Amino acid sequence: SSGINAEYGAQSELRTEKRIHLKAQETVASLKEQLSMEVQYCAKLGSSSCGLLWSLSKYGVPESALYTSCMAKFLDSVEQTLVNFSHADSTISADSDEMRLVESLCGSLTNISAEDTGRDYILGNE
């Protein structure tokens, strides 16, 4: 009887360990997917920001840069960032990189919209 109880206990422990292992694998898969999405987002934001800076330095006239694909990509990245930030955990520190990113994007958007042509472009591309 004690041998059967020991075997049952070992099987129960094995099932518990398998459930824990499966849960850990699911967590790892979820984190990998989240990391992949964050990497894609960072690459998109970096690409659009650098593309916009390149366009501004190339054309030298902000009005010309407004009509490049870089501006549309940049504005898409700004929108995605602001939407995600508005749904983010409220514990984000005021001096964090995330907060500085949002402040920088808002400042860029403010500067673009300060000019008539920039404001017209943004309002025409909602």
Side-chain angles (χ1 to χ4, degrees):
S1 172
S2 68
I4 293 173
N5 286 340
E7 185 178 328
Y8 178 75
Q11 288 176 353
S12 178
E13 187 176 325
L14 182 60
R15 282 193 298 273
T16 300
E17 298 244 351
K18 283 183 177 181
R19 273 188 258 136
I20 291 170
H21 182 72
L22 182 60
K23 178 84 171 147
Q25 285 179 324
E26 291 171 355
T27 301
V28 167
S30 174
L31 290 172
K32 282 182 178 181
E33 182 180 340
Q34 182 180 357
L35 180 60
S36 175
M37 290 173 22
E38 289 179 7
V39 166
Q40 289 173 1
Y41 166 76
C42 289
K44 178 182 174 186
L45 181 61
S47 172
S48 65
S49 298
C50 290
L52 181 60
L53 288 173
W54 178 79
S55 292
L56 290 173
S57 67
K58 178 180 176 187
Y59 295 113
V61 181
E63 293 84 17
S64 300
L66 288 174
Y67 300 102
T68 67
S69 64
C70 295
M71 180 59 76
K73 290 176 185 176
F74 177 74
L75 293 176
D76 285 343
S77 295
V78 169
E79 178 183 12
Q80 181 182 358
T81 302
L82 295 178
V83 167
N84 290 341
F85 189 76
S86 69
H87 298 295
D89 185 358
S90 61
T91 61
I92 294 175
S93 170
D95 64 346
S96 67
D97 288 336
E98 292 89 351
M99 184 64 80
R100 282 190 289 279
L101 171 65
V102 169
E103 290 170 346
S104 297
L105 292 174
C106 289
S108 298
L109 191 57
T110 299
N111 290 343
I112 292 167
S113 64
E115 297 291 326
D116 290 339
T117 53
R119 195 169 31 258
D120 291 342
Y121 179 84
I122 290 171
L123 292 174
N125 287 299
E126 292 184 316

